[in-house]
Amino acid sequence: MPEIAEVARIVHYLRKFLVGKTLKVVNAQDDASVFGKVGGTGAEFQKALTGKKVIGAGQQGKYFWLTMESAPHPVMHLGMTGWVHIRGQPSVHYRPKETDEAEEWPPKYWKFTLETDGEPKVEAAFTDARRFGRIRLVNCPAEDIRNTSPLKENGPDPVIDRDVITEKWLENKVKSKKVPIKALLLDQANISGIGNWVGDEILYHAKLHPEQYSDSFSSAQLKQLRASILHITKTAVDLLGDSSKFPDEWIFNHRWGKGKKDAPRKLPNGATITFLTVGGRTSCVVPSVQKKTGAVAGDINKANKEAVEAIDNVTESKPKTKKRKTKSGTTDEEEDSKLEAEAVEEEANPKKQKTESAPRKAVKTPKAKGQISASATTTVVRRRSGRFSKG
């Protein structure tokens, strides 16, 4: 999924090839998701932009836009697979295809295409295979775009608004919530543009465990977190998301072997890489560096699970073990993809976002560590639905 750095790459090329030019031809498809889910249509988009001059291009986190000579202005979100292509410019994409085949135009899965007036003519296209991207028109003065939905519901951009993200601001933000720190970073209402891989890179650099609750960190740790947020995002944006230029010590260069046979499980320095799920997203962690120093959601859930298993051993003479399956019958990989899609849907529709809270405890664990009280065995009853109630 494109994050702050990849969006910065798109904006760079929009400024290079489209700004200052008039859009002679605009074609848009009436996609019920890409346009329709934010209250627009392809026809409205086409009519609003045809004949207009592009004055500028901007970004806030994962959102980007074109500033037209007059309102409305198109504001876009790439979703999971969206991208903007410039015809004849393969370097626009952060993962260009290594092929000698002739370029297909318009490209597959296009949602709109643009063609400029005059020479040299420039052609651009927005594509989105999975249709989680969003394209909307905002009817406001250009200087008010960031004060209009959906941007106003999103937090500051760590590169553009780095002066806003002070040590005090971040500490107040983090301490006011009790959620895993990785989930807090992924919530675009807090800080714009941080996605899965950027969040992992930040936490590795800051030496913080992604599952640890946000309100359990010290001021010194949060000071380092701020420094890591600013450093990682600025470096990635300055390099326009070109991973071939990322520093060798970044875990980005070594994290993509999950689930692949003979894939490296260690960093060049010998540190082991592991994976776990936080906030519905797969997180890359280096345990020897990212140590738990406070309350961790995963440990609490594990304690609950152990408590339930102990209760089952008391109340059932022959406890049965079941093979793990998702409710929908999908594989873990498909379930991860589904959860990521849901997260993208929330990002693209910020008004529908729900405040993430700490995981609800299924069973109240005893205060004594590693022990199960007698009362616990008599007050907790398993229902067939898998839930628990007090008896």
Side-chain angles (χ1 to χ4, degrees):
M1 173 183 173
E3 302 180 27
I4 188 172
E6 292 85 0
V7 174
R9 186 178 187 88
I10 285 178
V11 172
H12 169 80
Y13 281 97
L14 290 177
R15 289 170 176 164
K16 182 177 180 179
F17 291 101
L18 286 184
V19 171
K21 297 183 179 295
T22 299
L23 303 182
K24 179 181 179 182
V25 180
V26 178
N27 290 307
Q29 299 192 36
D30 272 327
D31 191 294
S33 292
V34 176
F35 290 103
K37 286 197 173 181
V38 287
T41 66
E44 292 173 347
F45 179 90
Q46 185 172 311
K47 181 179 179 181
L49 267 62
T50 301
K52 293 281 190 70
K53 186 176 182 178
V54 181
I55 303 299
Q59 172 186 7
Q60 179 180 324
K62 298 181 185 181
Y63 280 97
F64 65 103
W65 60 89
L66 291 175
T67 304
M68 310 307 293
E69 59 181 313
S70 62
H73 313 281
V75 174
M76 294 161 275
H77 188 288
L78 296 170
M80 293 181 70
T81 58
W83 198 256
V84 174
H85 305 258
I86 307 293
R87 189 170 190 178
Q89 298 294 327
S91 62
V92 171
H93 203 285
Y94 67 110
R95 292 178 183 174
K97 295 181 179 180
E98 297 180 0
T99 178
D100 295 329
E101 294 180 7
E103 181 181 16
E104 179 184 359
W105 200 267
K108 196 174 182 180
Y109 307 118
W110 69 274
K111 302 305 170 186
F112 73 72
T113 61
L114 309 174
E115 182 180 322
T116 64
D117 196 5
E119 295 294 337
K121 179 176 69 174
V122 176
E123 294 180 78
F126 182 106
T127 63
D128 187 6
R130 297 194 63 179
R131 302 170 65 217
F132 286 103
R134 298 293 179 260
I135 303 168
R136 70 193 84 200
L137 297 171
V138 295
N139 197 1
C140 67
E143 59 271 20
D144 291 336
I145 291 176
R146 293 192 66 187
N147 298 320
T148 304
S149 291
L151 299 177
K152 71 177 184 179
E153 285 84 21
N154 282 252
D157 182 298
V159 175
I160 300 170
D161 306 316
R162 61 187 295 116
D163 293 338
V164 174
I165 306 176
T166 62
E167 290 179 17
K168 183 178 180 180
W169 181 93
L170 184 62
E171 183 161 358
N172 288 339
K173 177 71 70 176
V174 171
K175 292 283 190 181
S176 68
K177 301 175 184 293
K178 187 179 181 64
V179 296
I181 189 63
K182 171 71 179 291
L184 185 143
L185 292 178
L186 293 181
D187 186 345
Q188 303 301 293
N190 296 320
I191 301 175
S192 291
I194 298 175
N196 205 38
W197 79 259
V198 174
D200 285 346
E201 205 67 58
I202 288 170
L203 293 175
Y204 171 65
H205 188 270
K207 301 180 180 180
L208 304 181
H209 195 281
E211 286 184 312
Q212 186 168 330
Y213 281 126
S214 57
D215 62 349
S216 66
F217 292 105
S218 67
S219 295
Q221 288 176 309
L222 295 180
K223 181 179 180 180
Q224 178 58 56
L225 175 61
R226 175 184 178 271
S228 297
I229 289 172
L230 300 183
H231 170 70
I232 296 298
T233 54
K234 186 177 187 303
T235 301
V237 166
D238 287 348
L239 295 174
L240 299 179
D242 186 347
S243 59
S244 68
K245 299 178 181 178
F246 287 172
D248 291 338
E249 66 271 17
W250 280 21
I251 56 174
F252 181 97
N253 301 310
H254 313 281
R255 63 175 292 160
W256 305 109
K258 179 190 175 188
K260 296 180 180 179
K261 188 178 180 180
D262 300 325
R265 291 288 183 175
K266 294 182 181 293
L267 295 174
N269 61 9
T272 300
I273 299 172
T274 62
F275 296 91
L276 50 84
T277 301
V278 183
R281 308 290 296 278
T282 298
S283 295
C284 180
V285 186
V286 181
S288 62
V289 175
Q290 297 166 265
K291 299 183 182 298
K292 303 171 184 178
T293 61
V296 177
D299 288 348
I300 293 175
N301 292 337
K302 182 180 179 182
N304 287 339
K305 181 179 179 181
E306 290 174 347
V308 172
E309 289 175 348
I311 294 166
D312 286 346
N313 289 335
V314 172
T315 59
E316 298 178 16
S317 58
K318 294 182 179 180
K320 298 179 180 180
T321 57
K322 296 182 179 181
K323 188 176 181 180
R324 184 192 179 282
K325 294 181 181 179
T326 62
K327 291 183 178 180
S328 62
T330 58
T331 64
D332 285 340
E333 184 176 347
E334 290 169 338
E335 194 71 11
D336 282 348
S337 180
K338 180 181 178 181
L339 290 168
E340 184 176 4
E342 290 173 352
V344 172
E345 181 73 22
E346 289 184 355
E347 281 184 19
N349 298 278
K351 288 186 177 181
K352 296 181 181 179
Q353 285 184 6
K354 295 181 179 179
T355 303
E356 187 167 358
S357 59
R360 184 170 57 185
K361 295 182 181 179
V363 179
K364 187 175 182 180
T365 56
K367 293 182 180 179
K369 185 175 180 181
Q371 296 181 352
I372 305 301
S373 67
S375 61
T377 64
T378 60
T379 59
V380 181
V381 179
R382 180 187 294 274
R383 293 179 181 171
R384 288 186 179 181
S385 63
R387 299 182 180 177
F388 301 88
S389 65
K390 292 183 178 181

